[in-house]
Amino acid sequence: MVSAEFNEKAEAVKNLTQKPTDDELLELYGLFKQATVGDNTTTKPGAFDFKGKYKWASWDKLKGTSQEDAEKQYIELVTNLIAKYN
């Protein structure tokens, strides 16, 4: 179960005045999935699903990270992005 602060940051990141870089977006995605679902147990997307593969890899590299740690890292990242893009 994620915290209220996590949910607030998840909403806040949608309202940034500038779009984060692709790398930042992938990091956000991976941390969000790790915090809310846990370890990635899904099948790797096919060879021609480039976006899906990058997202899958971003989440998969966090395997073994606790959901609590991923949540803290997500909150920290969003806080930094808000300072950078707002």
Side-chain angles (χ1 to χ4, degrees):
M1 177 102 175
V2 293
S3 69
E5 184 180 10
F6 178 88
N7 289 326
E8 288 168 18
K9 295 295 184 184
E11 281 304 308
V13 82
K14 296 176 187 174
N15 299 315
L16 295 173
T17 56
Q18 279 183 278
K19 183 181 175 197
T21 66
D22 288 345
D23 286 343
E24 290 167 337
L25 290 172
L26 285 171
E27 188 176 359
L28 279 170
Y29 176 82
L31 287 169
F32 183 88
K33 293 294 278 186
Q34 189 70 21
T36 57
V37 178
D39 286 346
N40 182 356
T41 58
T42 63
T43 306
K44 188 174 184 175
F48 297 106
D49 182 1
F50 297 109
K51 184 177 179 181
K53 280 197 312 190
Y54 284 120
K55 289 170 76 174
W56 184 91
S58 179
W59 179 18
D60 197 58
K61 76 178 181 184
L62 294 167
K63 208 170 253 184
T65 302
S66 74
Q67 288 181 262
E68 293 79 18
D69 283 347
E71 180 178 332
K72 288 176 191 166
Q73 291 175 47
Y74 181 88
I75 290 168
E76 184 178 327
L77 177 60
V78 172
T79 301
N80 291 336
L81 292 175
I82 289 169
K84 184 176 179 180
Y85 293 114
N86 274 350

